[in-house]
């Protein structure tokens, strides 16, 4: 009979509490007695310990790296400062050396200029006393005393002048140093030109009113130009003449022959006429006043444009010679003679010019360079 009896339903509170207790018991039982869960827990603990260890290591490593970087930065900055200081010190020393060298060179150049001027003055003063000659013992003695300030000990007191045969007197007028050649650090050869006036007594014959011949003595003056080579010794104590003056004859003005180079002369008449017409137009503009800005149109490079701006006026074009440049096709060397006139005085003069001209296309010509004409020296 009990078999078919209905079970008593639990109340809602009793039902929920019972279920919770059963679930707890089940869970605790499962956690406590299941090996797989225990293994997972152990592995998780190991992972946590590794993470903690790594974190502690990372903090230590980061701190170390930071310190290394900071120390390295300080070292780099220190090295940079030292390098900059050393570089500046080297530059400063180099600048000091260059400045000192420049000062030495400047001082040496100034010293050389001063030495040359001193040698010139010394030589000219010596020639003043050397070429001033008057007869008589008193005059001779006074000259000797003056020369002792110039002549080295051991040289003739009269500097080679033979007082026994003096026909008259000689007066120093002026002198010019032609050149100074340094033989070594102490000796210089000075070439000097001296202008003098000589006076001597001469006999001149004449006739009186009665026609009788008479002889009169008169002083005759003549001017002369003399050239001497004087050897001067220089040291810290001053200057001395160490050899008697040697006369010399200067070289005459060299006569050379010049000729125009006829090589590669252009034979094309049309080109020659075109070049001539171009240069005539150029010189009219080149010489005209207040047209200097227009000359730039004749030059390929306007910065090279030139102008006389009314200083001279164009008169006419003389000979024009055109030469081809083999290395540059379309370029010519042109030599010409131009007659110009000075507008104030009216004096005409011929002048030679040499141009480098380039042909641009068929019609246009441009000046590359312009300079005084140069000839070949034979």
């Amino acid at each position: 009979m009990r078999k078919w009896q209905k079970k008593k339903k639990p109340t809602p509170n009793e039902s929920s509490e019972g279920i919770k207790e059963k679930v707890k018991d089940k869970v605790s039982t499962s956690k406590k007695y299941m090996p797989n869960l225990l293994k997972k827990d152990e592995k998780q603990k190991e992972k946590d310990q590794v993470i903690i260890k790594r974190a502690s290591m990372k903090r230590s490593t980061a701190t170390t790296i930071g310190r290394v970087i900071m120390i390295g930065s300080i070292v780099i900055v220190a090295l940079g400062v030292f390098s900059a200081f050393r570089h500046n010190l080297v530059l400063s020393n180099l600048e000091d050396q260059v400045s000192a060298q420049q000062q030495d060179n400047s001082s040496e150049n100034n010293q050389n200029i001063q030495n040359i001027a001193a040698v010139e003055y010394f030589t000219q003063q010596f020639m003043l006393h050397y070429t001033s000659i008057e007869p008589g013992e008193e005059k001779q003695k006074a000259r000797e005393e003056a020369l002792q300030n110039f002549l080295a000990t051991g040289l003739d007191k009269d500097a080679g002048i033979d007082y026994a045969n003096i026909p008259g007197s000689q007066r120093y007028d002026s002198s010019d140093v032609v050149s100074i050649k340094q033989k070594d650090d102490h000796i210089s050869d000075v070439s000097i030109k001296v202008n003098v006036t000589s006076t001597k007594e001469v006999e001149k014959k004449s006739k009186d009113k009665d026609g009788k011949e008479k002889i009169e003595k008169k002083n005759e003056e003549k001017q002369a130009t003399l050239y001497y080579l004087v050897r001067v010794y220089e040291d810290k104590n001053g200057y001395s003449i160490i050899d008697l003056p040697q006369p010399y004859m200067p070289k005459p003005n060299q006569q050379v022959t010049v000729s125009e180079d006829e090589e590669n002369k252009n034979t094309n008449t049309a080109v020659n006429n075109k070049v001539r017409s171009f240069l005539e137009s150029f010189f009219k503009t080149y010489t005209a006043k207040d047209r200097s800005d227009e000359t730039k149109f004749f030059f390929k490079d306007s910065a090279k444009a030139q102008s006389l701006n009314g200083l001279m006026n164009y008169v006419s074009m003389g000979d024009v010679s055109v030469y081809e440049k083999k290395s540059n096709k379309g370029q010519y060397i042109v030599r010409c003679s131009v007659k110009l006139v000075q507008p104030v005085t009216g004096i005409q003069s011929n002048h030679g010019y040499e141009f480098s001209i380039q042909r641009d296309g068929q019609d246009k010509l441009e000046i590359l360079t312009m300079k005084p004409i140069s000839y070949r020296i034979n």
Side-chain angles (χ1 to χ4, degrees):
M1 294 298 289
R2 188 182 292 178
K3 183 177 178 181
W4 303 105
Q5 188 177 357
K6 292 184 179 180
K7 294 183 179 179
K8 187 179 178 178
K9 293 183 179 179
T11 60
N13 293 333
E14 292 177 354
S15 176
S16 60
E17 289 177 1
I19 292 171
K20 288 180 180 180
E21 289 178 358
K22 290 180 180 180
V23 171
K24 286 181 181 179
D25 292 340
K26 188 175 181 180
V27 170
S28 62
T29 303
S30 63
K31 284 185 178 181
K32 186 175 182 180
Y33 297 107
M34 291 183 69
N36 291 335
L37 291 176
L38 290 174
K39 288 182 180 180
K40 287 182 179 180
D41 289 341
E42 291 176 355
K43 288 182 179 180
Q44 185 64 38
K45 289 180 180 180
E46 290 177 356
K47 288 182 179 179
D48 293 340
Q49 289 178 356
V50 170
I51 291 171
I52 292 169
K53 186 177 181 180
R54 286 181 179 176
S56 62
M57 288 178 66
K58 284 181 180 178
R59 285 195 297 271
S60 178
T61 304
T63 303
T64 304
I65 292 173
R67 289 176 180 175
V68 170
I69 292 173
M70 182 174 67
I71 294 171
S73 300
I74 294 172
V75 171
I76 291 172
V77 171
L79 289 175
V81 171
F82 174 75
S83 177
F85 175 77
R86 183 174 177 273
H87 180 67
N88 291 336
L89 183 61
V90 170
L91 284 179
S92 178
N93 291 337
L94 182 60
E95 289 174 355
D96 290 343
Q97 291 176 4
V98 171
S99 177
Q101 185 176 3
Q102 289 176 345
Q103 289 178 359
D104 289 343
N105 291 339
S106 177
S107 177
E108 184 178 353
N109 291 335
N110 291 335
Q111 187 66 28
N112 288 336
I113 293 172
Q114 291 174 1
N115 288 351
I116 291 173
V119 169
E120 286 185 358
Y121 178 78
F122 175 80
T123 307
Q124 288 178 317
Q125 290 298 305
F126 166 71
M127 294 308 296
L128 184 153
H129 297 285
Y130 173 76
T131 57
S132 297
I133 303 169
E134 294 182 78
E137 292 184 4
E138 291 184 0
K139 298 293 185 182
Q140 180 183 1
K141 187 176 180 181
R143 180 176 177 273
E144 287 179 0
E145 290 178 354
L147 288 175
Q148 296 315 301
N149 295 322
F150 300 90
L151 298 174
T153 303
L155 292 179
D156 180 21
K157 293 181 179 181
D158 291 320
I161 298 298
D162 182 8
Y163 266 88
N165 297 290
I166 295 179
S169 64
Q170 179 174 277
R171 183 183 71 243
Y172 169 92
D173 292 331
S174 64
S175 63
D176 294 295
V177 173
V178 178
S179 67
I180 297 178
K181 294 182 180 180
Q182 287 189 313
K183 306 296 291 183
D184 55 32
D185 293 339
H186 298 284
I187 299 175
S188 299
D189 283 347
V190 182
S191 299
I192 188 168
K193 170 187 173 183
V194 186
N195 298 312
V196 298
T197 299
S198 65
T199 304
K200 63 180 180 179
E201 190 177 69
V202 295
E203 293 182 349
K204 287 191 175 182
K205 295 180 179 181
S206 62
K207 292 183 178 181
D208 57 16
K209 295 180 180 180
D210 298 331
K212 292 181 179 180
E213 189 177 88
K214 63 178 182 179
I215 298 175
E216 293 181 342
K217 292 183 178 180
K218 292 184 178 180
N219 289 331
E220 183 181 59
E221 289 189 352
K222 288 185 178 180
Q223 294 180 336
T225 300
L226 310 174
Y227 294 88
Y228 290 101
L229 179 66
V230 182
R231 183 155 291 180
V232 179
Y233 178 84
E234 171 192 356
D235 62 12
K236 62 181 181 180
N237 296 320
Y239 303 91
S240 295
I241 304 297
I242 59 173
D243 195 3
L244 298 179
Q246 302 296 326
Y248 79 95
M249 178 60 70
K251 292 181 180 179
N253 294 333
Q254 187 179 6
Q255 299 296 322
V256 296
T257 303
V258 297
S259 63
E260 196 171 319
D261 190 356
E262 297 293 328
E263 187 178 357
N264 301 328
K265 194 168 186 178
N266 186 57
T267 57
N268 189 318
T269 305
V271 172
N272 292 346
N273 290 338
K274 187 173 183 60
V275 170
R276 185 184 185 91
S277 177
F278 171 77
L279 289 179
E280 286 178 343
S281 298
F282 166 72
F283 275 107
K284 290 176 182 178
T285 306
Y286 172 69
T287 56
K289 190 174 183 180
D290 299 328
R291 294 185 64 184
S292 57
D293 290 341
E294 298 179 28
T295 58
K296 64 183 179 182
F297 299 111
F298 292 87
F299 286 81
K300 183 174 181 62
D301 184 359
S302 60
K304 295 182 179 179
Q306 304 178 39
S307 174
L308 289 180
N309 196 23
L311 180 65
M312 303 283 281
N313 291 335
Y314 173 77
V315 178
S316 62
M317 178 72 67
D319 295 332
V320 178
S321 300
V322 182
Y323 304 88
E324 292 186 73
K325 281 188 176 181
K326 287 186 176 181
S327 58
N328 295 295
K329 191 174 181 180
Q331 289 188 7
Y332 305 95
I333 296 295
V334 182
R335 299 187 181 97
C336 64
S337 175
V338 182
K339 181 176 286 188
L340 305 177
V341 59
Q342 217 293 324
V344 177
T345 64
I347 296 176
Q348 297 185 10
S349 55
N350 292 307
H351 304 274
Y353 294 91
E354 182 174 298
F355 294 88
S356 177
I357 293 179
Q358 176 178 279
R359 184 175 61 190
D360 186 6
Q362 294 296 324
D363 300 325
K364 189 176 180 181
L365 295 174
E366 295 176 316
I367 299 172
L368 301 178
T369 61
M370 173 185 177
K371 63 181 182 180
I373 197 168
S374 58
Y375 295 98
R376 182 175 63 187
I377 298 176
N378 297 331

